[in-house]
Amino acid sequence: LPPDERQIFDDIAGKRGRVPNVMSALLNSPQAAARWSDLAVYLRFRSKLEPAVRELAFLTVAREIDCQYVWTAHEPLARRAGITDATILSIRDRRAPDGLLPEEAVVVQYAQQLLRSHVATEEVFQAVLRQLEAQGVVDVTTIIGYYIMFGLAILALQVELEPGVTPLLPIPNAQ
């Protein structure tokens, strides 16, 4: 990076403990990478959403766009957040919302509807609003939008998993 933008690298490394492959790719546009990183830190660590809600949204987006990088990063985090193997497999195998707890199904359906038809039904929107309240709906919607942008950048820039990381998402014909 040019000397006047090296602080961006240092800030990203400081927030994450390292600069992962995806951020290295995004650092080709340092100012954009800085803003991506700031939003990611809020969404992943400072949002008032429960970790399980965040992880359900991350996994749903990753599966809907078949983003190996995001899925592989978040599947273990989802387990740590209390998401069961059955729920993870339901999302992975494209069976969700079948088999999910009602509070999980609402988040997954909301994300799926936004990603598939770009709008949620009134019934699903009202259910997610009751469950998460207004700020939570904005935050989960922002997570969905962010991870679409992030995932598509990963796919477009052909960002590979970190060395030694085993892919966790079965994607037919994937390299």
Side-chain angles (χ1 to χ4, degrees):
L1 294 177
D4 64 326
E5 294 184 310
R6 286 192 184 139
Q7 184 59 41
I8 294 170
F9 179 95
D10 295 339
D11 288 345
I12 292 169
K15 290 174 187 168
R16 295 171 175 262
R18 63 186 176 86
V19 176
N21 287 353
V22 66
M23 292 310 292
S24 292
L26 295 173
L27 278 164
N28 284 295
S29 177
Q31 293 300 320
R35 281 143 185 87
W36 284 58
S37 180
D38 288 343
L39 184 54
V41 167
Y42 170 73
L43 294 173
R44 287 190 61 204
F45 306 112
R46 297 191 182 135
S47 165
K48 292 181 181 175
L49 291 173
E50 292 295 322
V53 170
R54 292 192 306 258
E55 294 301 332
L56 285 168
F58 299 148
L59 289 182
T60 303
V61 172
R63 187 53 173 149
E64 288 293 312
I65 65 171
D66 290 332
C67 185
Q68 183 70 255
Y69 193 101
V70 172
W71 182 275
T72 298
H74 285 277
E75 182 182 314
L77 297 174
R79 280 191 179 88
R80 281 195 285 254
I83 304 298
T84 66
D85 287 344
T87 296
I88 291 168
L89 290 175
S90 182
I91 296 168
R92 187 196 74 186
D93 296 343
R94 298 186 192 276
R95 291 181 284 113
D98 292 342
L100 275 59
L101 298 171
E103 61 272 13
E104 295 173 334
V106 166
V107 174
V108 171
Q109 283 182 301
Y110 181 67
Q112 288 173 334
Q113 287 182 4
L114 290 180
L115 296 167
R116 294 174 184 175
S117 62
H118 317 298
V119 66
T121 64
E122 185 65 20
E123 177 185 356
V124 168
F125 181 80
Q126 289 302 321
V128 80
L129 182 60
R130 279 190 304 276
Q131 182 173 317
L132 302 179
E133 300 179 344
Q135 181 178 346
V137 172
V138 171
D139 282 357
V140 80
T141 304
T142 304
I143 284 171
I144 295 163
Y146 175 85
Y147 271 85
I148 279 290
M149 178 178 66
F150 192 63
L152 291 178
I154 289 166
L155 295 169
L157 300 173
Q158 300 178 3
V159 176
E160 302 208 3
L161 296 173
E162 309 299 325
V165 173
T166 302
L168 300 177
L169 182 62
I171 302 175
N173 304 318
Q175 297 179 355

